């Protein structure tokens, strides 16, 4: 589907519904391909290097999440909000600038990460130095995914992640021979760089780093608020991980990451939907504003129920299957299934409201919600760790996500009222 296809699908309700289902399906397929790659790396490290090394890898992973949030806030989130379903010429220009911004972010922060890793040394330093080298490719690969979904061509995003997965197989084999965390970081990031290069071939677009400043200036009303909002999410995760490592130990970080890996298939569902939900919510808002609340409720409620069902299935899973997947990490990680499942369910419920606020371009409200949710996350995670160790941290995060979800929905209700009021004022002579 090209960016111009949306005008055709709106002519028939049945065609519009089929188009939405098709885009959501490609979002799920794409995230499934991406999550398989991430899951494979996590399992490989957990089984090959043990709990302590897995904790080091998890710290690098969380740091990557923060940098990815910076790139998305400045580059791809404004792209999805403002250039979903637009004419192809506008889309191509925006994508070149957006991808160039992602590349610039990766190069700048990657250089800082490389310098920090070289200065740290020890067991953690090499992993962070290698992460710094790989960040440009990792961020550009992610930028192509969002660009394709903004255009309604999720199939291309799926193919791109499939290329990443295929390139990852030989890379992991070589990393296993070296048997270090740094080698696995290089394997993961190097295969993503291959997919990033292929994305330029798919789109026929080259990232324009020289126009990154222009993009930031044009999108500053949304970009900087989305930056703060996204960094609030990932920064809170990073603070919790670092704090947990300081309070309980680096191995505790590996335990939490292991429990999160158990929810990998569901997280693939949640993240796959997140690739397309903002774009779809923006389309719903343009076509039928009165349906946006119901769309968001269906989205958030569906994700929460799915998380609870997956958690229940994990509780019934035999220990031998868990040990086969995570090795020595399983015994500690399995004890956190209930609180982590509740935390993910709370987060899933909130994402429905978050998608609605993004579609309404209510960046100020979204930022307020995210800062509140992130504060609750850090306080709950670290307060729980100080009170009851790793399990206390997991329960603290579960309570925090529930509070954050309530805040998201309260602000969506207020934003919808403001939007409907503004429409009535425009229509009133």
């Amino acid at each position: 589907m090209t960016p111009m296809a949306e005008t055709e699908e709106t002519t028939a309700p049945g065609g519009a519904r089929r188009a939405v289902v098709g885009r959501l399906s490609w979002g799920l397929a794409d995230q499934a391909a991406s999550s398989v790659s991430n899951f494979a790396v996590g399992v490989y490290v957990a089984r090959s290097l043990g709990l302590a090394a897995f904790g080091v890898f998890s710290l690098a992973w969380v740091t990557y999440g923060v940098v990815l949030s910076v790139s998305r806030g400045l580059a791809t989130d404004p792209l999805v909000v403002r250039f979903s379903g637009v004419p192809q010429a506008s889309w191509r220009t925006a994508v070149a600038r957006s991808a160039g911004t992602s590349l610039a972010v990766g190069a700048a922060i990657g250089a800082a990460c490389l310098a920090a890793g070289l200065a740290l040394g020890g067991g953690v330093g090499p992993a962070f130095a290698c992460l710094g080298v790989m960040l440009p490719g990792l961020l550009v690969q992610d930028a192509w995914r969002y660009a394709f979904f903004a255009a309604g061509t999720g199939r291309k995003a799926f193919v791109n992640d499939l290329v990443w997965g295929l390139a990852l197989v030989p890379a992991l084999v070589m990393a296993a021979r070296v048997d270090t965390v740094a080698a696995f970081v290089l394997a993961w990031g190097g295969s993503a760089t291959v997919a990033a290069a292929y994305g330029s071939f798919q789109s026929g677009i080259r990232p324009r780093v020289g126009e990154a400043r222009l993009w930031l200036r044009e999108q500053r009303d949304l970009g900087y608020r989305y930056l703060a909002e996204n960094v609030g999410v990932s920064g809170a995760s990073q603070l919790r991980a670092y704090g947990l490592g300081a309070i309980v130990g680096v191995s505790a970080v590996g335990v939490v990451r292991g429990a999160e890996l158990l929810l990998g298939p569901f997280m693939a569902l949640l993240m796959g939907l997140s690739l397309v939900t903002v774009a779809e919510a923006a389309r719903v808002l343009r076509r039928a504003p009165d349906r946006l609340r119901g769309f968001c409720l269906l989205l958030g409620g569906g994700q929460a129920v799915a998380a609870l069902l997956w958690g229940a299935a994990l509780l019934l899973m035999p220990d031998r299957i868990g040990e086969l997947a995570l090795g020595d990490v399983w015994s500690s990680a399995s004890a956190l299934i209930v609180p982590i499942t509740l935390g993910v369910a709370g987060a899933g419920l909130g994402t429905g409201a978050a998608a609605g606020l993004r579609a309404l371009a209510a960046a100020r409200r979204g930022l307020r919600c995210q800062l509140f949710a992130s504060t609750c996350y850090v306080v709950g995670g670290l307060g729980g760790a100080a009170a009851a160790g790793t399990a206390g941290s997991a329960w603290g995060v579960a309570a925090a996500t529930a509070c954050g979800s309530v805040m998201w929905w309260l602000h969506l209700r207020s934003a919808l009222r403001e939007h409907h009021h503004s429409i009535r004022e425009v229509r009133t002579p």
Side-chain angles (χ1 to χ4, degrees), residues 301-396:
Q303 290 180 93
V305 170
L308 295 174
L309 291 175
W310 183 257
L314 288 176
L315 291 173
L316 299 175
M317 186 172 69
D319 287 340
R320 63 179 181 276
I321 297 178
E323 291 169 356
L324 181 64
L326 297 181
D328 295 338
V329 179
W330 162 255
S331 60
S332 301
S334 60
L336 304 182
I337 289 176
V338 172
I340 290 216
T341 297
L342 293 175
V344 172
L349 184 62
T351 57
L357 286 177
R358 286 285 176 95
L360 290 164
R364 185 172 299 176
R365 287 188 177 276
L367 177 57
R368 268 186 230 143
C369 291
Q370 194 54 67
L371 291 177
F372 174 80
S374 297
T375 301
C376 290
Y377 184 92
V378 173
V379 172
L382 297 186
T390 308
S393 180
W395 280 106

Side-chain angles (χ1 to χ4, degrees), residues 68-84 98-99 101-102 142-143 146-147 150 215 219 222-231 233 274-279 282 354 358-359 361 363 370:
L68 184 63
S69 295
V70 173
S71 175
R72 287 179 176 175
L74 295 176
T76 54
D77 284 342
L79 175 77
V80 170
V81 170
R82 286 185 167 152
F83 295 92
S84 292
S98 174
T101 303
S102 293
D142 186 74
Y146 277 79
W215 174 262
Q219 311 301 326
L222 294 182
Y224 292 116
R225 286 196 176 100
Y226 288 158
L227 168 65
E229 183 180 328
N230 290 354
V231 171
V233 178
S274 71
L275 286 170
V276 292
T277 49
V278 176
R358 286 285 176 95
Q370 194 54 67

Side-chain angles (χ1 to χ4, degrees), residues 19-311:
V20 170
V21 171
R23 288 190 293 267
L24 291 175
S25 298
W26 280 118
L28 294 177
D30 169 73
Q31 190 57 44
S34 177
S35 295
V36 165
S37 300
N38 295 337
F39 183 76
V41 174
V43 168
Y44 240 81
V45 176
R47 291 185 59 84
S48 301
L49 302 180
L51 189 57
F54 188 54
V56 173
F57 181 82
S58 298
L59 289 176
W61 186 281
V62 170
T63 303
Y64 156 71
V66 175
V67 181
L68 184 63
S69 295
V70 173
S71 175
R72 287 179 176 175
L74 295 176
T76 54
D77 284 342
L79 175 77
V80 170
V81 170
R82 286 185 167 152
F83 295 92
S84 292
V86 300
Q88 190 172 26
S90 299
W91 174 81
R92 290 180 65 86
T93 300
V95 167
R97 294 172 179 173
S98 174
T101 303
S102 293
L103 182 56
V105 169
I109 302 181
C113 196
L114 173 61
L118 294 175
L120 283 172
V124 177
F128 276 79
C130 292
L131 176 64
V133 174
M134 294 292 104
L135 277 176
L138 284 162
L139 298 190
V140 172
Q141 192 275 337
D142 186 74
W144 293 131
R145 298 171 69 205
Y146 277 79
F148 291 140
F149 279 109
T153 54
R155 176 181 58 83
K156 291 185 177 180
F158 170 75
V159 171
N160 191 274
D161 268 323
L162 194 60
V163 169
W164 184 2
L166 293 174
L168 183 61
V169 173
L172 284 179
V173 172
M174 291 187 287
R177 293 178 180 176
V178 179
D179 210 32
T180 64
V181 176
F184 282 105
V185 172
L186 287 174
W188 165 56
S191 53
T193 302
V194 172
Y198 181 66
S200 186
F201 171 78
Q202 284 179 291
S203 62
I205 300 171
R206 292 184 180 180
R208 298 177 187 170
V209 179
E211 297 187 18
R213 185 174 298 179
L214 175 61
W215 174 262
L216 293 175
R217 185 165 61 249
E218 291 177 341
Q219 311 301 326
R220 63 182 178 274
D221 59 325
L222 294 182
Y224 292 116
R225 286 196 176 100
Y226 288 158
L227 168 65
E229 183 180 328
N230 290 354
V231 171
V233 178
S234 54
S237 297
Q238 189 175 30
L239 286 175
R240 187 248 185 142
Y242 288 168
L244 184 61
I247 295 170
V248 184
V250 175
S251 296
V253 182
V255 171
V256 171
R257 175 61 184 157
E260 291 172 347
L261 278 175
L262 294 173
L263 283 154
F266 172 74
M267 293 302 292
L269 170 66
L270 190 152
M271 295 180 68
L273 288 173
S274 71
L275 286 170
V276 292
T277 49
V278 176
E280 291 306 321
R283 290 183 174 97
V284 170
L285 182 64
R286 286 197 296 269
R287 291 196 303 260
D290 292 339
R291 296 181 182 178
L292 182 61
R293 187 196 302 270
F295 174 83
C296 294
L297 184 60
L298 180 63
L299 174 66
Q303 290 180 93
V305 170
L308 295 174
L309 291 175
W310 183 257

